[in-house]
Amino acid sequence: MKKILLVEDDRLLNKTLAFHLTMEGYEVISAHNVATAKDYLSKGKFDLIILDINLPDGNGFELCKMCRSKTTIPIIFLTANDMESDMLKGYELGAEDYITKPFHVSIFLKKVEIWLKSTSIKNTGNIYDDGNLILNFTKRTAMIQGKNIELTTAEFNLLYLFVINYKMVLTRSLLLEKLWDENEKYVDENALTMMVSRIRSKIETKDKKYIKTIYGMGYQWVGDAYEE
C-alpha cells in the first residue's frame, strides 16, 4: 500500500482529502504544521508528500528544501497561491507538481495516482559511465567524480531521455510529450526548465558539460554515447 504524507493546516480540507485518498486505497498520514510533518518524516518512509505552502509554524518551501536534502520521493505543492514566482520557487526546490486551490478532487486524485505509479525504467540493465559521471539505470543511482548525487524521480527520468537520445536535438515540446506519454507525469514548461537547470547543477562543472541548449528548439545530450 502506497503511503502518503498530507501536510495541510486547513483541518476540513485535510480530512476531506485524506478521506478520498483512503477510499482510493492509499495509507494517509495527516499533519497540520511543519513540526508534526518533520516528526513523521523522521520516523517513517513515504511514497509521496502533498504539501501546503502556508503553514502556521513555517512554510512548505522550507519543508520541501529539508525533504530534498534527504529524499527523492515526489512532492506535490498544494496552495491557494497561483503566482508564477511561487510556482517557480517550488520547482526550483525540487517539487514535481503544483496544485492550485480550488481544484476538483478528481483532478487531485489523478495527479496523485500518476505520481505514485511505478517509476521503474524499461530495459534498465545498463550503466552509463564516462569516467566522470556514473548512472545506474537499474538501481536509479548516480555518482559524479566518485561522490553520490541525489536525483529526484522526475530529474532521473528526464536525464534518462537525454542519455538514450545521444546527440539528438530534443525539442521542448517533444520532451513534454515524452514525459507525459511514457512516464505519465504532469510536466509543464516551467517544470521542464527548472528540471534541466537542477540536473545541470548536479552533474556539470565548468570544464565538463552534458546538456547543450539549442536556442529556439530544445536540448541535446553532448556527453558520451550510451547503448542499452
Side-chain angles (χ1 to χ4, degrees):
M1 179 183 293
K2 297 293 185 180
K3 189 175 181 180
I4 299 172
L5 176 61
L6 174 59
V7 189
E8 166 61 61
D9 66 322
D10 184 323
R11 292 180 180 272
L12 178 58
L13 179 58
N14 193 312
K15 187 175 181 179
T16 300
L17 295 179
F19 170 79
H20 286 287
L21 290 169
T22 301
M23 292 298 292
E24 292 295 315
Y26 305 123
E27 179 183 356
V28 182
I29 302 297
S30 291
H32 303 103
N33 52 55
V34 172
T36 304
K38 287 182 177 180
D39 185 52
Y40 283 136
L41 286 166
S42 69
K43 294 178 180 178
K45 295 183 178 180
F46 295 88
D47 299 293
L48 176 69
I49 299 174
I50 299 171
L51 181 57
D52 189 21
I53 287 181
N54 298 311
L55 296 166
D57 58 343
N59 65 65
F61 292 138
E62 296 171 355
L63 188 56
C64 178
K65 186 176 181 180
M66 184 208 77
C67 292
R68 274 293 162 262
S69 68
K70 299 179 180 180
T71 180
T72 61
I73 64 174
I75 296 175
I76 298 177
F77 271 123
L78 188 66
T79 177
N81 297 331
D82 58 359
M83 294 176 60
E84 183 178 356
S85 59
D86 284 337
M87 297 176 70
L88 292 176
K89 185 173 182 179
Y91 289 134
E92 287 173 349
L93 291 173
E96 274 73 25
D97 209 345
Y98 205 105
I99 304 177
T100 303
K101 306 172 189 175
F103 52 83
H104 292 290
V105 172
S106 59
I107 298 298
F108 168 77
L109 292 175
K110 185 61 178 178
K111 287 199 173 191
V112 169
E113 175 191 352
I114 286 170
W115 282 106
L116 281 173
K117 282 188 175 179
S118 173
T119 57
S120 297
I121 295 176
K122 299 177 181 179
N123 301 320
T124 56
N126 298 310
I127 295 175
Y128 174 93
D129 184 355
D130 64 4
N132 179 66
L133 174 65
I134 300 175
L135 301 170
N136 188 316
F137 291 116
T138 300
K139 297 181 179 179
R140 295 178 70 82
T141 58
M143 295 182 68
I144 189 77
Q145 297 179 351
K147 297 181 180 180
N148 292 323
I149 56 174
E150 296 292 336
L151 293 169
T152 68
T153 297
E155 290 166 0
F156 210 108
N157 289 344
L158 179 56
L159 184 56
Y160 179 68
L161 286 176
F162 283 138
V163 171
I164 65 172
N165 290 288
Y166 165 73
K167 288 298 183 181
M168 290 181 60
V169 176
L170 301 179
T171 64
R172 293 178 65 84
S173 60
L174 177 63
L175 286 170
L176 291 171
E177 178 184 347
K178 289 290 186 181
L179 288 171
W180 167 252
D181 289 344
E182 292 184 5
N183 299 315
E184 297 184 306
K185 299 292 184 289
Y186 283 98
V187 178
D188 60 18
E189 289 277 349
N190 288 332
L192 178 60
T193 299
M194 292 304 166
M195 279 194 283
V196 171
S197 178
R198 292 200 305 266
I199 290 172
R200 280 173 164 158
S201 70
K202 293 176 181 181
I203 69 172
E204 294 188 343
T205 64
K206 182 179 179 180
D207 301 319
K208 184 65 175 179
K209 304 299 181 183
Y210 287 98
I211 302 172
K212 180 180 180 181
T213 298
I214 308 299
Y215 291 98
M217 295 184 65
Y219 305 97
Q220 181 184 43
W221 179 260
V222 292
D224 288 355
Y226 170 79
E227 295 182 2
E228 292 187 285

